[in-house]
Amino acid sequence: MDAAEAIRKELSSLLGAQEELLKLVEDCKNTIAFGTKYQHWYSRAYKLVQSLAPERLAEFSSYYLIDPKRKLTDAGNYVIQDYVKAIGARTDHYDKPIWDVNNLTAIRFLNQVQIISSLSSRVGTVLQDVTGYLFAELQDSELAAASQLKKINLRAAGALAGVVLERHLQRVAENHNLAPSKKSPTIADLNDPLKQAGVYDVPTWRKIQLLADIRNICSHQKNADPTPEQVDELIAGTNAIIKSIF
């Protein structure tokens, strides 16, 4: 099971608990049972909101947490934590509750459920953002290593930079739903389809061609050694491509 599928399964589980929790909150006799199940539900749900929609985390929590600045409890600021603590409604002159704690708790819970329900559309985007960030971090690290390696071995430095460029172009092709003809495409195999699909222009295509030629000298042509200038160009050119082509 991949990450997206696991998250969607957890969302489905949280939404599936809605009916049981709403049933328990209908009667104050079930306060302990509701509190036990709800606390577990809230902890799981909190983590998902925090990860998928952090901008809504404060709203999500506000339906549960008692406002520390609250001076007097009323129907407008009564929250789920009050109910779980068995705090009832204030009463009027006839000793009747001013508000229905069961109804208000159910409404607060349904507000949280609606937030959870809205998260399903965010799963793919958030994971893509995280993956893209980690991928970019890895690329920068590898190019920095190539720059250091250049002082020791020009071929190895150029080969490493070439791998970064090749892997990035493979990712670009995936982003644009392009399927290379080969199972393990090279830079040259990816360059033409990306240009033809309009992902980048002719000058960029020519630049990548040149970088591919330098990479081949570093990785394959044993009869010709790469120059320091060529390796510098490969590293700098790769850095420019990964920062501008997506």
Side-chain angles (χ1 to χ4, degrees):
M1 184 185 302
D2 63 19
E5 185 180 353
I7 291 174
R8 290 193 174 94
K9 184 176 180 180
E10 176 71 352
L11 286 172
S12 178
S13 175
L14 290 169
L15 293 173
Q18 173 182 344
E19 185 176 345
E20 181 184 8
L21 284 166
L22 285 174
K23 188 70 177 175
L24 287 172
V25 84
E26 289 178 357
D27 193 330
C28 289
K29 293 179 181 178
N30 299 322
T31 300
I32 295 176
F34 170 82
T36 301
K37 291 184 179 295
Y38 174 80
Q39 295 283 18
H40 181 60
W41 183 92
Y42 178 81
S43 296
R44 291 162 58 201
Y46 184 93
K47 291 180 181 179
L48 281 182
V49 178
Q50 186 179 43
S51 300
L52 298 176
E55 73 281 0
R56 302 202 67 180
L57 187 60
E59 177 192 355
F60 182 81
S61 298
S62 70
Y63 295 122
Y64 168 68
L65 294 174
I66 296 173
D67 184 352
K69 297 180 181 179
R70 186 180 71 182
K71 296 181 178 179
L72 183 67
T73 307
D74 57 37
N77 59 29
Y78 188 87
V79 292
I80 298 174
Q81 193 174 44
D82 287 314
Y83 185 79
V84 170
K85 289 182 175 182
I87 298 174
R90 288 190 291 109
T91 56
D92 59 18
H93 295 298
Y94 301 98
D95 204 30
K96 291 184 177 181
I98 299 176
W99 63 85
D100 185 336
V101 295
N102 302 91
N103 185 53
L104 278 182
T105 301
I107 291 172
R108 305 291 187 260
F109 173 62
L110 283 172
N111 287 337
Q112 291 182 320
V113 168
Q114 288 169 1
I115 293 176
I116 293 297
S117 180
S118 72
L119 297 181
S120 59
S121 62
R122 302 286 299 273
V123 176
T125 302
V126 170
L127 286 179
Q128 187 176 31
D129 289 345
V130 171
T131 302
Y133 173 78
L134 293 176
F135 191 75
E137 287 282 297
L138 176 62
Q139 289 176 321
D140 288 342
S141 176
E142 288 177 326
L143 286 182
S147 294
Q148 292 297 316
L149 190 57
K150 185 183 62 175
K151 303 172 184 177
I152 304 170
N153 189 312
L154 287 175
R155 280 189 180 276
L160 178 56
V163 169
V164 174
L165 178 59
E166 183 176 271
R167 196 166 54 217
H168 181 77
L169 293 180
Q170 288 173 349
R171 184 173 174 81
V172 174
E174 290 174 3
N175 291 343
H176 291 271
N177 298 314
L178 297 176
S181 57
K182 295 182 179 180
K183 186 177 180 179
S184 299
T186 64
I187 296 172
D189 295 328
L190 295 159
N191 197 23
D192 286 345
L194 288 169
K195 184 199 70 171
Q196 291 165 4
V199 177
Y200 45 71
D201 55 19
V202 173
T204 301
W205 171 77
R206 287 175 178 160
K207 179 66 174 179
I208 293 174
Q209 259 191 331
L210 174 61
L211 298 177
D213 289 340
I214 299 174
R215 187 266 180 96
N216 287 336
I217 293 173
C218 295
S219 300
H220 306 300
Q221 296 182 19
K222 303 302 181 182
N223 59 336
D225 291 325
T227 65
E229 292 74 21
Q230 286 176 318
V231 174
D232 283 340
E233 184 168 8
L234 178 54
I235 294 173
T238 296
N239 187 57
I241 294 297
I242 67 175
K243 296 293 194 296
S244 59
I245 306 297
F246 304 100

